[in-house]
Amino acid sequence: MRKLIIAGNWKMFKTILEAIDLANGLKRNLFDVTTIDIVICPAFTSLAEVYEVISGSNLQLGAQDMHWEEQGAFTGGVSGLMVKDAGADFVILGHSERRIYFGETSQSVNKKIKAALKFNLTPIVCVGENLSQREENRTFEVIKQQLEECLDAIEKEEARKLVIAYEPVWAIGTGKTALPKQAQEVHKYIRSLLVKFYDEDLAGNLRIQYGGSVKPENIFQLISEEDIDGALVGGASLDAELFTSIVRNSLKVGK
Ligand code: 13P
């Protein structure tokens, strides 16, 4: 049995006060939900303050990126040690926006995964094809290469601590959600790769989230699919009521 995991990626939104407000709203709305892991990922500047709000509650904290070094002369960098210190237990790594706008590669993601695990952070490792790759029928090839490179030299005992997020780039912030069957097809493929890289046991237990225009209206159908174990939500996670509805509608699936 894989416990569902719904995460909110707040991206570069919310001042500290706004973040505190949103965290308070979610804490109030979702206090009774124990069967789903709920993770919120504010910007670095709000991590510690949001931690103060949700500490002791059923909500968990994640960062949106980190550097692979523990400390050093890396102006603008924030390390795994630092995000852990701020209260995070999760970290999103390899998000397509980091890949597109900040030169993130699967090789740097690989280094970050290893560093995150060292600090007891659960990496949420993002993979996904862009529109032209999908149109050229290269989706599986792209996902395979990303996963192979991201997971390079990561042993099974370490890999079992990961969460994978499948986020087709063409579905992010566009309002175009992958059809549940389209997403399921890729999730199933990712699981088959995990069997190949590791084994059935690990593949059967690792959680694979879907991300890309997830809303209260489409979450039920998405996570009704066998291999979809939750969601990584962008835009709709910025609104307490919408994110609450996403979590509540997920409960109805009864996974
Ligand atoms: P949207 O939900 O806004 O499409 O963003 C998805 C995403 O990038 C989550 O990480």
Side-chain angles (χ1 to χ4, degrees), residues 9 11 92 95 97 167 171-174 211-214 232-236:
N9 174 6
K11 306 193 178 181
I92 299 171
H95 191 281
E97 286 151 14
E167 297 208 314
I172 296 178
T174 57
S213 299
V214 171
L232 183 53
V233 186

Side-chain angles (χ1 to χ4, degrees), residues 67-79 82:
H67 197 282
W68 59 82
E69 291 291 345
E70 181 174 330
Q71 58 179 12
F74 300 100
T75 301
V78 176
S79 74
M82 291 167 177

Side-chain angles (χ1 to χ4, degrees), residues 46-206:
S46 303
L47 278 175
E49 305 267 4
V50 167
Y51 178 72
E52 287 303 312
V53 174
I54 65 172
S55 135
S57 80
N58 56 335
L59 303 184
Q60 303 178 74
L61 190 68
Q64 299 173 18
D65 184 36
M66 54 171 265
H67 197 282
W68 59 82
E69 291 291 345
E70 181 174 330
Q71 58 179 12
F74 300 100
T75 301
V78 176
S79 74
L81 174 70
M82 291 167 177
V83 300
K84 187 76 191 178
D85 186 44
D89 285 319
F90 289 79
V91 58
I92 299 171
L93 294 176
H95 191 281
S96 60
E97 286 151 14
R98 301 287 328 160
R99 293 176 191 259
I100 294 167
Y101 304 121
F102 301 95
E104 183 86 85
T105 63
S106 292
Q107 284 74 21
S108 54
V109 175
N110 176 255
K111 290 201 257 185
K112 291 177 180 187
I113 294 173
K114 290 173 182 160
L117 291 168
K118 209 172 91 188
F119 293 110
N120 253 326
L121 290 158
T122 300
I124 298 179
V125 181
C126 303
V127 294
E129 81 288 359
N130 64 29
L131 186 59
S132 60
Q133 291 162 336
R134 172 156 286 262
E135 285 173 349
E136 290 159 13
N137 282 324
R138 293 178 50 222
T139 298
F140 282 6
E141 175 200 328
V142 169
I143 301 286
K144 178 161 186 263
Q145 185 173 359
Q146 287 175 341
L147 261 191
E148 247 166 17
E149 291 172 353
C150 287
L151 301 180
D152 184 44
I154 296 178
E155 299 301 323
K156 181 180 167 191
E157 283 320 302
E158 294 295 288
R160 63 162 70 252
K161 299 174 189 159
L162 307 178
V163 173
I164 309 275
Y166 168 57
E167 297 208 314
V169 178
W170 49 270
I172 296 178
T174 57
K176 276 193 220 161
T177 322
L179 297 172
K181 291 279 172 244
Q182 264 176 330
Q184 164 59 21
E185 188 184 34
V186 181
H187 281 236
K188 191 172 169 194
Y189 177 65
I190 292 173
R191 216 175 288 288
S192 77
L193 288 175
L194 293 170
V195 174
K196 234 190 260 170
F197 299 166
Y198 300 101
D199 57 25
E200 293 274 356
D201 166 52
L202 178 136
N205 284 297
L206 210 82

Side-chain angles (χ1 to χ4, degrees), residues 225-243:
E225 295 292 338
E226 190 179 339
D227 290 293
I228 303 185
D229 309 313
L232 183 53
V233 186
S237 73
L238 298 171
D239 179 284
E241 299 315 315
L242 289 179
F243 193 69

